[in-house]
Amino acid sequence: MGIPRNEVIDQEADLREGEIDLRQLLRVLRKWAWVIALITVVAVISAAVLSYFVLDPVYEAQVTLMVTQALPTTQPGGQPLQGQGLDQLMSVLARLPQMTLNTYVGQLTSESLMQRVLDALDLDRQGYTARSLAGLVQAKNIKDTNLIQVTVSHTDPHLAAEIANAVSRQFVEFVSEQNREQMAKSVEFLEKQSAEVEGELKAARQKLHDFQVQARGVAVVQQEFDSKSADLARMQSEAVQLGVAIDQLQAGVRGLQETLASTPRTVMVEEDGKKIERLNDVYISLSQMLEQKQVELAEKQARLGSTRRFIAQLEADLADLQAELVDKQAQESELRARVDQLNQTYQTLLQKKTEVQIARSINLGETSILVVSPAYIPSRAARPNRQLNMAVSGVLGVMVGVMLAFLLEYLDNTVKGAEDVQRVLGAPVIGNVPLFTGADRGR
């Protein structure tokens, strides 16, 4: 089954109505060309009048500064102090302010600097304020350089150059004063901390001295410990010697006892032709020697016992002395460490205070900022750009005129001729009504 013919015809008609007819657009533009031209001319004339007779010419004076001690613009800031302790903290207090180029740029338009420029040039009497003056000043960092360009815009070229040069001069002094102010605060802080640490150091030294001169100080205990250690060594050596002597005496006693046991107590001798029994002289001598050895052995054993008891007492005394000595040495070490720590801190504070005092004397502004190019009186106005303004106004006038033409055409629903009738009704024109004037009626 196919689509009915009437339906196809309706669809084609709808498509034709949806297409943009270029001829219709050109007809509208031709019809309202005088409106477009009028608006364009008015816009261009208005721009010309404003540019030439209404808007004041604005002059721009520029100063170029070179920063010699600036950090990279994108430095990793805000890093916490780690692992450096007091030295790191003191270094932070003692060093010069580290600023980036963006920091310098931000300071160049600060109201505090503008107030200094106002005071230097006496611009208050002319009604300027720090904020209004800041609106005349622009500062920017020239890409990939250490240069900062300061631009001052003003209707008076002489005043623009004067303000630009004043900004550069005041900025150098401003940076130096900030440095001195910060360094002064650092010196004040370091002096306060030095006084406090010095007091703590004196107290710690006095405490250490009192501990060292007490009745049983480390030196006294150490001396007593060394003396008893020497006695112990001597007694131990004597005990060893006594043991060796006792062993030898015991061996001698056993030998004499064996010899004495094999020696007859009596012997038979002839005296006057008769045999008589009498004590053996050898036996007697051996008996005497045995008694002597036994007495000597008993004496040595008695001395060994006494020596061992003395050694045991010495070892007990040395154990007590060692415990006391370790405790007192720990106390003295702690006190000495406290003194050393405070002394190191005090010396560091003194050193950093000296460094900060030297840094405070440095004119940071003149050493880190150089005026590469001062401002000169501009000979030509930077704004307004009259030709550009007129060109832009002409383009805008054409655009507004075209939009107004289509708006008027859309609002106009009257029929003014045969073309309008044919366009509205979609039927061919087979006749028209002539225009009659007063003279035609009389014929």
Side-chain angles (χ1 to χ4, degrees):
M1 295 179 62
I3 302 175
R5 181 177 177 77
N6 294 336
E7 186 175 347
V8 173
I9 293 174
D10 294 340
Q11 291 178 355
E12 292 177 352
D14 294 339
L15 290 174
R16 285 196 300 271
E17 290 178 355
E19 292 177 352
I20 299 177
D21 192 341
L22 181 59
R23 288 175 299 180
Q24 291 291 336
L25 297 178
L26 293 176
R27 186 188 62 79
V28 174
L29 293 177
R30 284 197 305 271
K31 179 180 178 181
W32 299 101
W34 64 275
V35 175
I36 299 173
L38 177 61
I39 294 176
T40 303
V41 170
V42 170
V44 172
I45 292 175
S46 300
V49 171
L50 290 174
S51 300
Y52 282 93
F53 302 104
V54 177
L55 296 177
D56 294 330
V58 178
Y59 298 87
E60 291 184 349
Q62 294 181 340
V63 174
T64 303
L65 306 175
M66 183 172 69
V67 181
T68 59
Q69 297 179 4
L71 296 176
T73 304
T74 57
Q75 67 159 349
Q79 295 297 329
L81 302 177
Q82 293 180 353
Q84 301 298 326
L86 181 62
D87 291 340
Q88 180 69 29
L89 176 60
M90 292 299 102
S91 298
V92 172
L93 291 173
R95 71 187 178 192
L96 294 172
Q98 296 183 357
M99 293 184 284
T100 64
L101 287 171
N102 287 337
T103 305
Y104 284 114
V105 171
Q107 289 180 331
L108 274 165
T109 54
S110 63
E111 292 192 8
S112 57
L113 179 63
M114 294 300 104
Q115 187 60 48
R116 295 170 63 97
V117 175
L118 287 177
D119 298 338
L121 299 180
D122 198 17
L123 294 177
D124 296 339
R125 297 182 179 179
Q126 301 182 27
Y128 289 96
T129 64
R131 178 166 297 183
S132 63
L133 185 60
L136 304 177
V137 180
Q138 291 183 344
K140 65 178 181 180
N141 168 222
I142 301 177
K143 187 177 181 181
D144 298 332
T145 67
N146 282 346
L147 299 178
I148 297 176
Q149 190 174 62
V150 181
T151 303
V152 176
S153 303
H154 201 279
T155 55
D156 184 350
H158 294 81
L159 186 56
E162 192 174 0
I163 292 175
N165 289 322
V167 167
S168 64
R169 289 193 304 271
Q170 294 299 324
F171 181 61
V172 171
E173 296 179 5
F174 178 70
V175 173
S176 297
E177 290 180 3
Q178 280 192 325
N179 171 54
R180 286 192 288 270
E181 182 178 356
Q182 179 175 346
M183 292 297 102
K185 291 181 179 178
S186 298
V187 170
E188 182 181 357
F189 172 78
L190 291 172
E191 287 178 345
K192 182 179 179 181
Q193 292 299 315
S194 300
E196 293 180 358
V197 173
E198 185 179 12
E200 295 179 4
L201 178 59
K202 289 181 179 178
R205 284 175 174 170
Q206 184 62 41
K207 193 173 182 180
L208 176 61
H209 177 265
D210 296 341
F211 180 82
Q212 290 175 334
V213 299
Q214 64 181 343
R216 286 185 61 81
V218 174
V220 174
V221 177
Q222 181 68 53
Q223 185 178 3
E224 186 176 350
F225 181 82
D226 294 341
S227 176
K228 288 187 179 293
S229 296
D231 293 341
L232 177 62
R234 188 174 64 257
M235 290 296 104
Q236 288 175 338
S237 176
E238 184 177 345
V240 172
Q241 293 175 1
L242 289 172
V244 172
I246 289 173
D247 292 341
Q248 292 175 351
L249 289 172
Q250 288 175 342
V253 169
R254 285 194 299 272
L256 287 173
Q257 288 174 343
E258 291 174 357
T259 304
L260 188 62
S262 60
T263 303
R265 181 180 180 84
T266 61
V267 296
M268 299 300 292
V269 298
E270 289 186 0
E271 200 174 283
D272 297 333
K274 295 180 181 178
K275 291 186 178 180
I276 59 174
E277 187 179 9
R278 54 181 304 182
L279 290 176
N280 189 353
D281 294 336
V282 175
Y283 183 85
I284 294 172
S285 176
L286 289 173
S287 298
Q288 292 176 348
M289 291 176 61
L290 179 59
E291 291 177 357
Q292 184 178 357
K293 289 290 185 183
Q294 289 176 337
V295 170
E296 187 176 356
L297 177 59
E299 181 184 358
K300 294 293 185 183
Q301 288 177 337
R303 287 183 57 190
L304 179 60
S306 174
T307 301
R308 285 177 175 174
R309 289 192 295 274
F310 190 59
I311 288 173
Q313 182 62 41
L314 283 176
E315 289 177 344
D317 293 343
L318 283 174
D320 295 339
L321 286 173
Q322 187 174 12
E324 183 181 2
L325 182 61
V326 170
D327 181 64
K328 289 184 178 299
Q329 285 178 337
Q331 294 182 40
E332 185 179 16
S333 177
E334 184 178 354
L335 293 173
R336 193 182 299 280
R338 177 63 175 165
V339 171
D340 293 341
Q341 179 187 5
L342 290 172
N343 185 56
Q344 181 180 358
T345 303
Y346 181 64
Q347 296 301 326
T348 302
L349 288 169
L350 292 180
Q351 179 184 355
K352 295 303 178 184
K353 187 175 71 173
T354 304
E355 293 177 2
V356 172
Q357 288 174 338
I358 295 174
R360 186 172 58 176
S361 63
I362 297 175
N363 193 336
L364 183 61
E366 294 182 357
T367 55
S368 62
I369 302 172
L370 299 177
V371 179
V372 178
S373 174
Y376 297 99
I377 300 173
S379 58
R380 292 191 304 176
R383 299 192 300 273
N385 190 335
R386 298 183 177 95
Q387 289 76 16
L388 180 61
N389 291 346
M390 293 172 65
V392 171
S393 298
V395 172
L396 292 177
V398 170
M399 294 174 63
V400 172
V402 170
M403 288 188 294
L404 182 60
F406 282 104
L407 177 63
L408 293 173
E409 180 65 20
Y410 176 77
L411 297 176
D412 185 8
N413 54 3
T414 60
V415 177
K416 295 182 175 64
E419 293 182 358
D420 294 342
V421 173
Q422 186 176 3
R423 177 174 53 82
V424 173
L425 299 178
V429 178
I430 57 177
N432 57 4
V433 179
L435 178 64
F436 288 91
T437 62
D440 294 333
R441 291 192 185 97
R443 291 177 184 177

